[in-house]
């Protein structure tokens, strides 16, 4: 088999990403809510499932990737509530800003999308990595994407690296003491649990990698 | 789970329906959900708040003359979404801007900020003031910071009265900040509580144990102990409030000059001999009034011994966690301004005097 380079992410791939995310989050609804029980308020899976269902329902027709991602942001902001709604909403909103009107994305544009998305979450959440949040999955993923993409502009490889970095980042939240969100009220009692937000972030990034991988085959 | 519920998903909407039917002076809106005063707000600052449902009478019960102009209820224990505050804000804006009173929970803070950004895009001036009065939490650097408890009720009362007196937005925001740094609260639970969506208690609390330093979302507190007498429990809570040292933290505020959100350093007062306070002995939803008055008796004794005078008091359910049994105590240091505005007439479903 000859390996072809994936040099662009197209609008149908982005649509498939949102569809796959909605499916994966629905499949993992109970799992995410379970993770949220010991260090939160047992609602993260319900929140993410509700949000991505709404995002999928309202996803606009057509090939404008910026418009699609902005629509996802607005659905998450108006349907999720809690902490995850504004955070994931801001992530898609800030990431999508420079992408208005684009029908396909280069590796550089995607790298920028991830960087803007992470910066948006940090600003909205007044948070950073190592605080036991979704950022522990998102930030390493954005970095891994940029580094891998710089090597040869293959988006497939870069997304794979990003998803793997997110998985490692998610697991790294287990020994951390939470410093943001509801979990932080528990102090040391938050140690030893995997962060639900980092877990949903990994699922979403893995979904992106999977649909682009499948499109290339 | 044993509850008067038809459908777990509909509890917020169904209670709003009943609320609107029961109170003529209040309008209820759906999709997005908010409640507001039926009479138009004219030429004064509108005061808006909101938060998860399940804390009733907070916030909807405080909508009315001399208190809130609108309240936005989220799902049970989940913060409302920005579209709710956006529509509520537009509905009650009376040409002089909006003060949003926000309890310090990550979700509430962020959703109200997004709503403020959206309203500002419509040309409406908005200030968000955060209430974080829960002395159970010591540290702000490595946590989401102190939570908003009973001081919220006093802030809503005092700011509503100030709006009627004609305070402009800057002055009203400054007043709300003052009430926040003057207020201290701490709570405890005898039982857990169950949200209709989850159907099981949010934490397990054995028959002979209590949870000290709880918030209002059924989240566990800072420590668990064997149950003690009413006097002993009151002493634990009151001492922690009276001994609380000046608490300094950064709170996010809108900076009109910079046109962005900035961190502002804020430091609480400490309670001193000679201070006069408003006291709330608050039930968590499932505590008999008789027990709350027992707590009040001890609170009055403990404060008097420290030379602190309770000049006004509220005893009852003001900021609750569904059916939880337990109590929270709030002390807000008053001055001439706070007391004058507190005493001003108010007419809401849950708080009413002077008219
Ligand atoms: N300040 C923050 N910055 C980044 N991520 C955060 C922050 N606060 C919380 N999170 C993330 O949000 C996740 C929790 O999301 P969830 O949907 O459960 O909201 P919540 O905190 O329960 O809010 P609510 O109870 O109001 O619904 C955490 O696991 C964490 O990853
Ligand atoms: Mg949660």
């Amino acid at each position: 088999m000859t390996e072809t380079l994936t040099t662009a992410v197209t609008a149908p791939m982005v649509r498939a990403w949102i569809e796959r995310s909605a499916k994966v989050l629905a499949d993992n609804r109970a799992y995410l809510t379970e993770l949220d029980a010991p260090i939160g308020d047992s609602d993260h899976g319900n929140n993410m499932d509700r949000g991505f269902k709404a995002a999928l329902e309202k996803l606009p027709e057509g090939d404008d990737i910026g418009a699609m991602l902005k629509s996802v942001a607005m659905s998450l902001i108006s349907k999720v509530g809690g902490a995850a709604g504004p955070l994931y909403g801001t992530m898609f909103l800030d990431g999508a800003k420079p992408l208005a009107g684009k029908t396909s994305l280069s590796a550089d544009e995607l790298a920028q999308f991830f960087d803007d998305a992470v910066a948006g979450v940090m600003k909205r959440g007044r948070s950073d990595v190592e605080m036991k949040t979704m950022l522990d999955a998102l930030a390493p993923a954005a970095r891994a994407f940029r580094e891998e993409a710089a090597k040869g502009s293959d988006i497939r490889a870069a997304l794979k690296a990003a998803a793997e970095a997110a998985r490692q980042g998610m697991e790294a939240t287990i020994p951390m003491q939470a410093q943001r969100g509801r979990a932080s009220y528990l102090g040391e009692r938050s140690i030893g649990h995997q962060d639900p937000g980092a877990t949903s972030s990994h699922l979403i990034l893995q979904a992106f990698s999977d649909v682009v991988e499948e499109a290339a085959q | 789970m044993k509850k008067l519920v038809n459908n777990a998903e509909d509890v917020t909407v169904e209670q709003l329906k009943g609320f609107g039917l029961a109170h003529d002076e209040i309008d209820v809106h759906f999709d997005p959900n908010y409640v507001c005063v039926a009479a138009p707000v004219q030429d004064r600052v509108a005061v808006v708040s909101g938060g998860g449902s399940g804390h009733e009478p907070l916030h909807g019960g405080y909508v009315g003359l001399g208190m809130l102009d609108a309240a936005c209820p989220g799902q049970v224990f989940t913060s409302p979404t920005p579209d709710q505050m956006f529509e509520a804000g537009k509905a009650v804006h009376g040409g002089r801007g909006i003060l949003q009173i926000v309890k310090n929970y990550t979700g509430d803070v962020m959703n109200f900020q997004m709503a403020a950004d959206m309203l500002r895009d419509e040309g409406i001036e908005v200030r968000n003031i955060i209430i974080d009065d829960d002395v159970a939490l010591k540290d702000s650097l490595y946590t989401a910071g102190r939570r908003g408890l009973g001081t919220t009720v006093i802030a809503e009362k005092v700011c509503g009265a100030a709006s009627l007196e004609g305070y402009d937005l800057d002055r009203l925001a400054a007043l709300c900040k003052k009430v926040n740094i003057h207020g201290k609260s701490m709570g405890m639970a005898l039982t857990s509580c169950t949200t209709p969506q989850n159907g099981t208690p949010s934490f397990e609390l054995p028959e002979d144990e209590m949870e000290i330093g709880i918030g209002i979302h059924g989240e566990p507190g800072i420590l668990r102990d064997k149950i003690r007498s009413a006097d002993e429990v009151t002493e634990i809570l009151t001492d922690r409030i009276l001994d609380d040292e000046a608490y300094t933290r950064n709170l996010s505020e809108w900076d009109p000059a910079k046109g962005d959100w900035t961190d502002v350093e804020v430091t609480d007062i400490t309670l001193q001999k000679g201070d006069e306070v408003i006291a709330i002995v608050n039930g968590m939803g499932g505590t008999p009034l008789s027990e709350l008055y027992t707590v009040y008796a001890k609170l009055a004794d403990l404060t008097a011994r420290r030379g602190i005078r309770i000049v006004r008091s509220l005893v009852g359910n003001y900021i609750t966690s569904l059916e939880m049994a337990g109590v929270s105590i709030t002390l807000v240091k008053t001055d001439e301004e706070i007391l004058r505005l507190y005493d001003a007439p108010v007419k809401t479903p849950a708080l009413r005097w002077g008219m």
Side-chain angles (χ1 to χ4, degrees):
Chain A
M1 202 178 91
T2 51
E3 286 279 323
T4 45
L5 286 186
T6 300
T7 53
V9 157
T10 62
M13 289 182 199
V14 173
R15 185 175 301 278
W17 174 30
I18 303 308
E19 283 166 0
R20 182 67 58 86
S21 298
K23 183 183 180 303
V24 169
L25 290 167
D27 292 346
N28 286 279
R29 176 185 168 130
Y31 172 57
L32 291 171
T33 295
E34 241 165 66
L35 289 176
D36 197 29
I39 55 168
D41 56 351
S42 317
D43 65 354
H44 189 61
N46 311 356
N47 292 345
M48 296 306 292
D49 182 31
R50 185 172 67 242
F52 270 82
K53 276 210 171 85
L56 196 54
E57 226 168 75
K58 298 226 182 82
L59 203 60
E61 300 290 316
D63 279 346
D64 182 343
I65 293 175
M68 264 155 58
L69 295 175
K70 186 173 176 202
S71 157
V72 170
M74 297 320 287
S75 296
L76 295 178
I77 289 167
S78 65
K79 283 293 170 235
V80 179
L87 288 168
Y88 276 116
T90 302
M91 176 183 110
F92 280 100
L93 199 60
D94 287 12
K97 255 178 212 153
L99 308 182
K102 296 216 179 299
T103 54
S104 82
L105 306 179
S106 67
D108 272 352
E109 285 167 331
L110 264 178
Q112 194 58 45
F113 167 79
F114 285 127
D115 285 349
D116 291 345
V118 168
V121 174
M122 285 181 174
K123 178 147 194 271
R124 181 64 67 193
R126 301 165 79 224
S127 45
D128 209 330
V129 291
E130 313 253 308
M131 291 182 165
K132 198 180 183 99
T133 71
M134 55 177 72
L135 282 169
D136 291 309
L138 294 173
R143 199 178 326 114
F145 184 92
R146 191 175 276 286
E147 279 168 16
E148 188 62 34
K151 286 184 199 157
S153 294
D154 181 20
I155 291 176
R156 266 167 79 189
L159 277 176
K160 222 178 202 164
E164 175 55 22
R167 193 186 59 73
Q168 286 174 17
M170 162 189 93
E171 283 170 1
T173 62
I174 297 174
M176 288 182 194
Q177 178 169 334
Q179 295 179 25
R180 286 292 180 274
R182 232 172 252 294
S184 69
Y185 301 139
L186 291 171
E188 287 178 3
R189 286 199 274 171
S190 65
I191 293 172
H193 301 280
Q194 185 170 309
D195 180 61
T199 311
S200 56
S201 287
H202 166 251
L203 290 171
I204 291 167
L205 289 166
Q206 187 66 52
F208 201 1
S209 173
D210 289 348
V211 297
V212 171
E213 189 70 37
E214 286 161 25
Q217 277 162 13
Chain B
M1 180 175 67
K2 209 168 172 187
K3 280 180 190 291
L4 292 172
V5 162
N6 295 314
N7 194 338
E9 263 96 77
D10 301 333
V11 288
T12 308
V13 166
E14 289 191 313
Q15 82 157 335
L16 281 178
K17 266 188 205 148
F19 188 75
L21 292 168
H23 304 292
D24 285 342
E25 316 83 357
I26 296 176
D27 283 349
V28 173
H29 296 258
F30 297 98
D31 236 347
N33 301 341
Y34 67 92
V35 302
C36 67
V37 286
V41 175
Q42 274 165 341
D43 197 31
R44 61 177 181 84
V45 179
V47 183
V48 175
S49 191
S53 293
H55 309 305
E56 294 74 13
L58 197 82
H59 295 269
Y62 301 129
V63 171
L65 193 66
M67 213 161 163
L68 294 178
D69 295 301
C72 304
Q75 300 296 318
V76 176
F77 291 175
T78 299
S79 85
T81 52
D83 50 327
Q84 294 175 255
M85 284 75 91
F86 179 65
E87 292 301 331
K90 283 195 298 182
V92 297
H93 183 231
R96 303 271 306 270
I98 298 173
L99 173 70
Q100 298 194 120
I101 301 177
V102 186
K103 300 193 298 305
N104 193 34
Y105 298 95
T106 303
D108 286 347
V109 171
M110 292 191 297
N111 283 293
F112 273 89
Q113 281 194 349
M114 297 189 98
D117 291 344
M118 288 159 70
L119 285 162
R120 214 172 285 113
D121 284 347
E122 298 278 305
I124 298 175
E125 241 196 298
V126 187
R127 236 27 90 65
N128 289 10
I129 297 298
I130 293 171
I131 305 294
D132 61 338
D133 60 324
D134 176 11
V135 302
L137 300 166
K138 289 265 175 241
D139 161 76
S140 69
L141 209 51
Y142 298 108
T143 69
R146 289 184 170 179
R147 301 166 284 209
L149 296 177
T151 301
T152 313
V153 179
I154 308 300
E156 293 177 357
K157 169 66 190 82
V158 164
C159 291
S163 163
L164 284 184
E165 269 196 10
Y167 278 48
D168 67 19
L169 186 54
D170 282 338
R171 213 173 144 212
L172 198 55
L175 169 68
C176 194
K177 270 177 85 165
K178 180 170 87 172
V179 173
N180 183 41
I181 63 170
H182 278 217
K184 295 173 190 289
S185 299
M186 183 145 157
M188 61 82 63
L190 296 167
T191 67
S192 184
C193 62
T194 300
T195 67
Q197 299 99 307
N198 283 346
T200 51
S202 55
F203 57 88
E204 293 295 336
L205 196 51
E207 191 58 25
D208 61 341
E209 289 183 13
M210 62 179 179
E211 187 84 20
I212 299 274
I214 51 156
I216 50 171
H217 300 91
E219 64 266 53
I222 54 164
L223 116 186
R224 181 166 291 197
D225 207 346
K226 288 284 174 225
I227 181 83
R228 315 260 192 93
S229 71
D231 282 357
E232 284 171 299
V233 168
T234 308
E235 201 163 344
I236 293 171
L237 302 181
T238 309
D239 282 353
R240 186 88 173 223
I241 290 172
L242 295 178
D243 295 337
D244 188 50
E245 284 169 18
Y247 168 66
T248 300
R249 71 288 197 187
N250 286 322
L251 291 176
S252 192
E253 272 179 38
W254 179 256
D255 182 342
K258 243 176 78 187
D260 202 355
W261 296 96
T262 53
D263 280 355
V264 178
E265 191 178 280
V266 180
T267 303
D268 275 7
I269 56 122
T270 53
L271 288 166
Q272 312 279 347
K273 188 173 177 195
D275 282 348
E276 301 193 330
V277 297
I278 301 170
I280 309 179
V281 172
N282 172 61
M284 304 305 295
T287 318
L289 260 184
S290 55
E291 293 177 24
L292 298 180
Y293 276 110
T294 305
V295 169
Y296 186 85
K298 184 65 182 177
L299 171 67
D301 170 47
L302 290 168
T303 48
R305 271 198 253 164
R306 299 270 198 119
I308 290 166
R309 207 157 77 87
I310 300 178
V311 291
R312 299 289 183 275
S313 62
L314 295 172
V315 179
N317 288 303
Y318 294 95
I319 166 170
T320 61
S321 298
L322 295 169
E323 76 281 21
M324 177 182 281
V327 66
S328 67
I329 293 174
T330 297
L331 298 181
V332 179
K333 182 188 163 179
T334 60
D335 56 13
E336 187 282 320
E337 183 186 37
I338 292 177
L339 202 57
R340 178 188 83 244
L341 294 164
Y342 181 80
D343 284 341
V346 61
K347 190 181 174 194
T348 71
L351 217 57
R352 182 169 184 172
W353 57 69
M355 61 194 306

